[in-house]
Amino acid sequence: MLLVPSLAVAEQPWLDRSPAPPIEITHPSVEVSAKAGKGVTVTTESFSLNLRARAQLRFQIHAAQPDAGEREYDESSQVGGLRVWLSGHTISPKLLYNLQLGFADRDHRDGTISPVLDAFIDYKAHRDLNVRAGQFFVPFDRLRTVREFALQMTERPRPVNELTLDRDIGVIVYSDHFLGDRSILAWRAGVFGGNGINKSTASELGYMPVARLELRPLGTIDDDVEGDHQRRHKPGLALGVGAAANFHTNRVRSTSGGTFQTGTTSYRHLAADAVFKWLGVAVELEYLWRGATKKEFSGDVAGATVTDFARQGSGWVAQASYTFDPPFELVGRLSRLHAPDQTDPKYTTEVATLGKEYGFGANYYFNDHQFKLQADWIARTGSERPTFDHAVHLQLDATF
């Protein structure tokens, strides 16, 4: 049986935001469905495959004023992100898989060339105990584990980029509905390699245990998606805390950034976050801290003495938005980075010159986060020097 959208829908103006009826093709043993923003899904009794793609078309005007001199301007136009997802279940509906590939330049960092972003198996064994293994977001803080397609601004907050834990290879046990189906309590615990995403070179033996606890006292809330697009009539609140320790890592930012030349250190991580949504208002708060057991170490590299410094620090983010009806949204952000007395001198300089961040954005949602037009202004400045770095972004973000 083949079901297609009616001609009446096709005759509506293109700006009509009413959801288009899905296309479905059924067979006694195979079912095929397709929906805008959700891709194409093929389902059989023992297997399913969902195929989706996402593209970001991005334009940026950037201005930098390194000292008291004149500002320097530049602009860029690019495909900011190009992602492909393959997901579904195999053998049993309880055994899920997820593959995410990235093909744009901004999808690759720290010299990685592999397109693999996510690659994991998820076993939904029980409401109170599930298992995930592979490469995926380390479940440490909320503002990093929000997926890229569900962000309100074109860039993540700087404290998150600096102090969070990136994707890594590991295994976790978890529950999103612990001891009940109202999602009041959720937990995650696991261990990762601590090397970050797609690191192909060997390093000193190490490991990274991680734990996270989430409380939703008012019931279910979509805290993994930014903004209150549903303009929910019942308030929602999510509170989370996370902790991790990365033992014997040679990565400058624990699981990301460059590598130390002369040794390793052990980083400790703490996170606390909150998400609130009600009547179109959404507020996100987050605090991050990173400390190191070994703050400075030296060694001989090619006949010269080289000193490495651990990047210790902390930071916070406050982001708030209001979603109008129809789906037009305004969003604002404040964030700060802080450096202790003993840390990498380069990091101290970065905090002193560009450690304060301000942002403001306006978004229009044609199909929720699956098809949106974003415009924002993000500025960074410091406290010790008259530096000023800011950028204006215009971005079309579409998931098919």
Side-chain angles (χ1 to χ4, degrees):
M1 178 176 65
L2 176 64
L3 302 176
V4 298
S6 67
L7 292 177
V9 173
E11 292 171 357
Q12 294 179 13
W14 75 278
L15 280 177
D16 183 13
R17 291 175 299 276
S18 59
I23 297 176
E24 298 182 356
I25 302 175
T26 60
H27 183 271
S29 59
V30 179
E31 180 179 326
V32 180
S33 62
K35 186 175 181 180
K38 302 297 183 181
V40 178
T41 303
V42 180
T43 305
T44 69
E45 183 176 351
S46 61
F47 178 79
S48 71
L49 169 65
N50 173 259
L51 175 62
R52 286 179 295 152
R54 169 174 167 257
Q56 286 180 327
L57 305 180
R58 178 185 176 99
F59 175 75
Q60 171 182 293
I61 297 177
H62 173 255
Q65 187 176 5
D67 291 303
E70 295 183 359
R71 293 181 182 177
E72 301 173 357
Y73 292 87
D74 59 69
E75 61 89 13
S76 63
S77 302
Q78 59 184 266
V79 178
L82 184 59
R83 306 287 181 90
V84 174
W85 290 274
L86 297 95
S87 61
H89 75 266
T90 183
I91 303 176
S92 165
K94 293 185 177 182
L95 186 60
L96 310 179
Y97 67 90
N98 190 302
L99 305 175
Q100 183 181 179
L101 307 176
F103 298 100
D105 287 345
R106 285 173 57 87
D107 291 328
H108 303 280
R109 290 174 297 154
D110 302 332
T112 60
I113 59 175
S114 171
V116 179
L117 299 177
D118 293 323
F120 61 85
I121 296 293
D122 212 340
Y123 182 45
K124 303 290 188 180
H126 188 270
R127 179 197 65 193
D128 297 331
L129 183 64
N130 306 290
V131 182
R132 177 179 295 183
Q135 180 171 284
F136 50 93
F137 277 134
V138 175
F140 171 62
D141 66 302
R142 171 53 66 202
L143 293 188
R144 179 59 177 131
T145 55
V146 171
R147 290 287 183 171
E148 285 89 348
F149 74 87
L151 298 175
Q152 293 176 295
M153 303 191 76
T154 59
E155 294 184 358
R156 293 188 191 271
R158 188 158 187 217
V160 173
N161 290 329
E162 172 65 37
L163 299 167
T164 190
L165 295 170
D166 207 341
R167 288 178 170 93
D168 205 348
I169 295 178
V171 57
I172 64 170
V173 290
Y174 71 97
S175 172
D176 289 320
H177 312 278
F178 189 60
L179 301 179
D181 295 326
R182 295 185 61 235
S183 302
I184 292 178
L185 185 64
W187 62 273
R188 287 150 176 75
V191 61
F192 293 80
N195 288 321
I197 184 170
N198 294 333
K199 189 170 182 289
S200 58
T201 57
S203 59
E204 183 177 326
L205 183 64
Y207 61 100
M208 184 174 69
V210 178
R212 178 171 170 83
L213 184 66
E214 299 170 357
L215 177 65
R216 301 176 178 90
L218 303 180
T220 303
I221 176 176
D222 54 342
D223 53 332
D224 59 348
V225 175
E226 293 190 344
D228 182 22
H229 297 173
Q230 306 304 317
R231 296 177 54 83
R232 50 186 299 152
H233 296 287
K234 180 181 177 181
L237 176 65
L239 305 172
V241 292
N246 196 356
F247 294 98
H248 309 301
T249 179
N250 66 348
R251 301 297 294 270
V252 173
R253 293 185 177 90
S254 188
T255 60
S256 63
T259 57
F260 298 125
Q261 300 183 67
T262 62
T264 65
T265 189
S266 295
Y267 279 118
R268 296 158 295 171
H269 302 264
L270 294 175
D273 48 74
V275 177
F276 175 80
K277 299 185 181 185
W278 191 28
L279 298 176
V281 174
V283 178
E284 297 175 328
L285 304 173
E286 182 162 296
Y287 173 80
L288 296 164
W289 175 86
R290 180 174 65 208
T293 56
K294 187 187 297 184
K295 303 172 179 61
E296 178 182 340
F297 38 97
S298 302
D300 183 83
V301 178
T305 300
V306 175
T307 301
D308 287 309
F309 298 90
R311 284 175 76 100
Q312 300 186 106
S314 62
W316 58 265
V317 180
Q319 184 166 305
S321 65
Y322 182 75
T323 302
F324 297 83
D325 191 17
F328 174 73
E329 177 184 70
L330 296 177
V331 56
R333 175 197 294 168
L334 291 175
S335 78
R336 296 289 186 271
L337 279 171
H338 301 282
D341 294 335
Q342 291 182 309
T343 189
D344 187 342
K346 293 181 180 179
Y347 176 67
T348 300
T349 300
E350 292 174 17
V351 171
T353 56
L354 297 173
K356 298 180 178 181
E357 182 181 54
Y358 309 86
F360 177 78
N363 303 320
Y364 192 89
Y365 295 90
F366 299 96
N367 183 26
D368 202 26
H369 280 291
Q370 279 71 41
F371 201 112
K372 59 189 176 184
L373 182 63
Q374 298 177 278
D376 63 31
W377 168 79
I378 298 176
R380 299 182 178 105
T381 186
S383 57
E384 294 188 3
R385 300 181 183 178
T387 56
F388 193 71
D389 185 286
H390 67 131
V392 175
H393 308 99
L394 180 64
Q395 181 170 278
L396 181 65
D397 194 325
T399 302
F400 307 102

